[in-house]
Amino acid sequence: MKVEIIPVTPFQQNCSIIICSETNRAAIVDPGGEVERLVDRIDALGVTLEKILITHAHIDHAGGTKDLADKFDLPIEGPQQEDIFWIDRLSDQSRMFQFPEAKPFVPTRWLEHDDTVTVGNLTFDVKHCPGHTPGHVVFINHENKLAWVGDVLFKGSMGRTDFPRGDHQTLIDSIHSSLMTLPDDYQFISGHGDISTIGHERQTNPYIR
């Protein structure tokens, strides 16, 4: 597996391109914006983009989804269906944060807790982790001990819960039940900021200790 992280939008959201080394097939996780830049990078990598994976439907994570899906005729997998509340408001979110107009979309596949998704020959477990948004999901690849956690958990911090339908205790419970059960050496890529490990956060993160 190869991973390339491309921060996008003024919020510097960590959009990821996941590449299966065996098949050269790829997925893009959370294309929040700057679609032409993402397209240029995909072309430069010479990979076959096969799907879009969405952790949650805030504008900086999902704003470019519709345009990218239409350009490559891609299926969209995720988030969990409770985030339809945010998908339907993507245009409103655009105006609120003065982003380019973002279009609502209908996922090809809504995801649920303990589903799996694939990228080439790679398999990822799906965990529903509400709290930041009601339909937030995370993707975990056990073979490479790497997880994509969106805005659930950050190095030294955790996601905000002051948005509509956010809930602090629900997010804490999600982190403990779906992420802190992983071994210490698992790394995770957050929606913003640096990569960290489960073990480091278990020992140092003041929000979950």
Side-chain angles (χ1 to χ4, degrees), residues 61-81:
H61 290 255
T65 302
K66 175 66 172 170
D67 287 343
L68 192 66
D70 287 350
K71 184 173 184 64
F72 289 100
D73 192 23
L74 296 172
I76 303 164
E77 299 188 5
Q80 196 268 354
Q81 194 163 5

Side-chain angles (χ1 to χ4, degrees), residues 24 34 41 43-44 54 56 99 103 124-125 154 159 176 183 190:
N24 208 41
E34 300 183 54
R41 189 57 192 151
D43 289 344
I54 302 295
H56 67 292
F99 276 37
K103 302 168 187 172
F124 301 79
D125 285 352
F154 302 108
H176 280 285
S190 299

Side-chain angles (χ1 to χ4, degrees), residues 129-147:
C129 292
H132 178 67
T133 69
H136 201 303
V137 296
V138 305
F139 304 103
I140 304 168
N141 179 261
H142 293 288
E143 182 180 1
N144 293 279
K145 298 182 179 181
L146 184 58

Side-chain angles (χ1 to χ4, degrees), residues 2-196:
K2 299 176 184 177
V3 178
E4 180 150 339
I5 299 172
I6 305 173
V8 295
T9 83
F11 294 166
Q12 291 294 281
Q13 190 276 126
N14 287 328
C15 175
S16 290
I17 302 172
I18 302 173
I19 304 165
C20 171
S21 302
E22 294 178 353
T23 64
N24 208 41
R25 298 182 71 81
I28 192 161
V29 183
D30 288 356
E34 300 183 54
V35 170
E36 290 307 315
R37 180 174 162 226
L38 296 177
V39 169
D40 288 346
R41 189 57 192 151
I42 290 161
D43 289 344
L45 289 168
V47 298
T48 300
L49 193 61
E50 67 176 22
K51 66 181 62 175
I52 299 170
L53 300 175
I54 302 295
T55 63
H56 67 292
H58 281 163
I59 182 71
D60 54 325
H61 290 255
T65 302
K66 175 66 172 170
D67 287 343
L68 192 66
D70 287 350
K71 184 173 184 64
F72 289 100
D73 192 23
L74 296 172
I76 303 164
E77 299 188 5
Q80 196 268 354
Q81 194 163 5
E82 288 297 317
D83 257 25
I84 194 171
F85 163 78
W86 283 110
I87 293 173
D88 289 345
R89 294 182 61 185
L90 277 170
S91 294
D92 293 338
Q93 293 184 64
S94 302
R95 290 187 290 273
M96 182 182 302
F97 293 106
Q98 298 182 326
F99 276 37
E101 181 74 14
K103 302 168 187 172
F105 58 90
V106 178
T108 313
R109 177 188 176 199
W110 296 106
L111 296 175
E112 297 293 342
H113 196 73
D114 289 336
D115 279 349
T116 59
V117 298
T118 59
V119 180
N121 293 338
L122 300 167
T123 300
F124 301 79
D125 285 352
V126 176
K127 300 295 180 184
H128 179 210
C129 292
H132 178 67
T133 69
H136 201 303
V137 296
V138 305
F139 304 103
I140 304 168
N141 179 261
H142 293 288
E143 182 180 1
N144 293 279
K145 298 182 179 181
L146 184 58
W148 280 258
V149 302
D151 287 356
V152 170
L153 182 66
F154 302 108
K155 184 176 182 179
S157 188
M158 58 178 270
R160 291 175 58 175
T161 56
D162 57 336
F163 295 115
R165 297 194 63 187
D167 184 80
H168 180 82
Q169 189 58 53
T170 299
L171 183 56
I172 292 288
D173 292 344
S174 292
I175 292 169
H176 280 285
S177 64
S178 293
L179 298 179
M180 290 300 109
T181 53
L182 296 172
D184 284 349
D185 60 344
Y186 274 53
Q187 293 182 299
F188 65 88
I189 297 171
S190 299
H192 308 266
D194 295 336
I195 294 173
S196 187

